[in-house]
């Protein structure tokens, strides 16, 4: 395997989570009796550009298929995040009804609906037909395709191109960024949000490693990738989403009207001080992931021996990584609750734990609820506070086992 950005041969393993089925390949009841395909879940770090990456064991057009089950609108906190972004960026860039906005990986229209409310023309690019259909039902124009340089040549140039948590999802990251440049107006801005690699390492977020996340990104590496396509970063913000993310602002390298802020150098310095340019920082990660696995299994086995009922909340991709790495099955976790009706009635890949509605949880009186999407644990605890009456406790496993 060679680095997907700089083509350097890769030999240093960052995290080896052994084997797992694709994190969003939920199963029907009939499929439980059929063979299930597991792929290696091993990430490498490039010694040259420090890009952490997984090989494309599972092709992206198979992962993001017509029955893709992740719908962004089922998280209230994510909707609030999207609405605030639209308000802020519309003011910052002075977007008007004469402007044009393109979102890559627009999902179910969770964000573009707010541009539509402002009468700002917008377009979504979304390869999964299941989510695109929902966006179209909201009156949003959507092209059902993968974004790349070939498609970009046929798009109307945009004042703003945005992508939330998509930069990590593309196997050919060079072509993707090249396409951003093609589709951007001369004075336009690109914003991309992605989980910050520094936080992944610092907070032991190994469960965010899964097959549809091809890359794990730092500002240091993203800056190199954009500059290689004649784009420059002119600003960056820290976000609390997904355990700590970055939002970069980019434009054409020859656009002198947008000056680089001090935020760029500040975060680059922070990454340097943390050790992201030191290969030894990457070598220590595996052992910390192993400890989380062992602590989780120990907790579940102890609860089982004491006849305590453990259920989970949130059929999230990160949860599937955690459960499969730990080897947890339905004998230790009775069911997982999820708000999305597109997941209810299905079974988690690998672990085969059934996904149910919150109504089932209300009637089950569990002793423990393991919150799998730890990044929204506060939202979940507030939502399920009524369970405390019967002594139920909330638990998260990442970054370490904790009773909330």
């Amino acid at each position: 395997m060679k680095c997907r950005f700089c083509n350097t041969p890769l030999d240093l393993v960052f995290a080896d989570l052994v084997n797992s089925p694709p994190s969003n390949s939920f199963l029907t009841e009939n499929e439980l009796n059929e063979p299930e395909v597991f792929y290696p879940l091993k990430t490498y770090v490039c010694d040259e550009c420090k890009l952490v990456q997984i090989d494309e064991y599972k092709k992206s057009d198979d992962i993001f298929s017509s029955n893709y089950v992740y719908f962004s609108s089922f998280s209230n906190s994510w909707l609030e995040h999207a609405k605030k972004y639209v308000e802020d960026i519309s003011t910052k860039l002075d977007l008007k009804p004469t402007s044009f906005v393109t979102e890559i990986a627009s999902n179910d229209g969770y964000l573009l609906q707010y541009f539509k409310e402002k009468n700002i023309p917008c377009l979504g690019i979304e390869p999964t037909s299941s989510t695109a259909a929902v966006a179209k039902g909201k009156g949003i124009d959507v092209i059902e395709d993968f974004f790349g340089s070939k498609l970009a040549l046929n798009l109307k140039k945009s004042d703003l191109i945005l992508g939330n948590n998509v930069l990590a999802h593309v196997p050919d990251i060079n072509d993707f960024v090249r396409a951003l440049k093609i589709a951007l107006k001369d004075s336009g801005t690109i914003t991309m949000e992605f989980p910050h690699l520094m936080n992944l390492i610092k907070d032991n977020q190994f469960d965010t490693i899964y097959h549809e996340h091809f890359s794990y990104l730092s500002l240091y590496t993203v800056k190199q990738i954009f500059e290689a396509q004649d784009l420059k970063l002119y600003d960056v913000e820290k976000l609390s989403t997904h355990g700590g993310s970055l939002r970069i602002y980019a434009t054409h390298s020859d656009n002198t009207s947008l000056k680089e802020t001090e935020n760029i150098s500040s975060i680059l310095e922070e990454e340097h001080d943390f050790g992201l340019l030191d290969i030894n920082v990457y070598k220590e990660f595996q052992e910390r992931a192993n400890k989380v696995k062992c602590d989780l299994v120990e907790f579940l086995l102890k609860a089982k021996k004491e006849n305590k009922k453990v259920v989970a909340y949130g059929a999230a991709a990160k949860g599937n990584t955690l459960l499969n790495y730990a080897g947890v099955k339905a004998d230790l976790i009775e069911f997982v609750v999820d708000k999305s009706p597109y997941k209810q009635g299905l079974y988690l890949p690998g672990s085969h734990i059934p996904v149910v509605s919150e109504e089932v949880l209300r009637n089950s009186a569990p002793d423990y609820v393991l919150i799998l999407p730890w990044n929204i644990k506060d939202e979940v605890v507030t939502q399920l506070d009524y369970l405390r009456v019967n002594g139920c406790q909330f638990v998260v496993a990442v970054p370490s086992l904790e009773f909330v």
Side-chain angles (χ1 to χ4, degrees), residues 303 307-311 332 334-335 363-369:
N307 292 316
K308 302 290 187 181
K309 179 185 286 190
V310 181
V311 303
L332 295 179
E334 191 170 313
F335 57 77
N363 299 322
S364 69
D367 296 291
Y368 299 101
V369 175

Side-chain angles (χ1 to χ4, degrees), residues 146-373:
F146 289 94
F147 182 74
S149 55
K150 185 177 179 181
L151 176 63
L153 289 168
N154 297 311
L155 295 178
K156 179 180 177 180
K157 289 188 181 291
S158 297
D159 297 278
L160 170 65
I161 302 175
L162 71 115
N164 291 342
N165 305 305
V166 64
L167 192 59
H169 287 68
V170 292
D172 191 344
I173 198 165
N174 289 324
D175 182 75
F176 182 88
V177 177
R178 188 179 307 123
L180 293 176
K181 181 174 179 62
I182 292 170
L184 187 67
K185 283 185 179 178
D186 291 345
S187 59
T189 284
I190 299 160
T191 70
M192 291 277 139
E193 295 181 18
F194 50 86
H196 193 187
L197 175 63
M198 188 174 76
N199 289 318
L200 186 154
I201 297 174
K202 177 166 60 75
D203 295 329
N204 203 19
Q205 300 168 3
F206 70 91
D207 57 340
T208 60
I209 296 172
Y210 37 95
H211 296 103
E212 62 191 72
H213 278 178
F214 295 109
S215 302
Y216 303 83
L217 303 161
S218 63
L219 183 63
Y220 173 80
T221 300
V222 169
K223 187 171 185 289
Q224 294 177 69
I225 294 171
F226 273 66
E227 287 176 351
Q229 302 302 330
D230 203 22
L231 292 166
K232 68 176 181 181
L233 307 189
Y234 71 87
D235 201 2
V236 60
E237 296 175 40
K238 288 183 179 180
L239 306 172
S240 62
T241 54
H242 297 287
S245 299
L246 295 181
R247 177 190 292 149
I248 58 163
Y249 295 77
T251 189
H252 294 285
S253 294
D254 58 2
N255 182 1
T256 57
S257 64
L258 294 170
K259 305 295 185 184
E260 182 177 314
T261 71
E262 293 181 359
N263 294 339
I264 301 284
S265 58
S266 176
I267 293 180
L268 286 174
E269 183 178 353
E270 192 176 341
E271 290 183 344
H272 177 274
D273 293 345
F274 177 77
L276 281 189
L277 276 62
D278 180 358
I279 212 69
N280 291 313
V281 168
Y282 300 88
K283 293 178 179 178
E284 301 165 355
F285 189 69
Q286 181 75 52
E287 189 174 332
R288 294 165 58 209
N290 292 344
K291 186 178 187 310
V292 169
K293 175 178 73 171
C294 293
D295 288 348
L296 174 62
V297 172
E298 184 179 359
F299 158 70
L300 292 173
L301 289 174
K302 183 174 183 290
K304 184 76 172 179
K305 289 176 182 177
E306 295 174 353
N307 292 316
K308 302 290 187 181
K309 179 185 286 190
V310 181
V311 303
Y313 187 94
K318 56 169 57 73
N320 288 327
T321 292
L322 174 66
L323 296 176
N324 283 307
Y325 183 47
V328 174
K329 305 291 183 181
D331 60 328
L332 295 179
I333 295 179
E334 191 170 313
F335 57 77
V336 57
V337 176
D338 200 275
K339 290 173 68 174
S340 172
Y342 299 95
K343 294 180 182 179
Q344 293 166 9
L346 299 177
Y347 295 79
L348 299 186
S351 65
H352 295 184
I353 298 169
V355 184
V356 301
S357 68
E358 189 177 333
E359 190 61 32
V360 175
L361 178 63
R362 288 179 182 274
N363 299 322
S364 69
D367 296 291
Y368 299 101
V369 175
L370 175 64
I371 302 173
L372 296 173

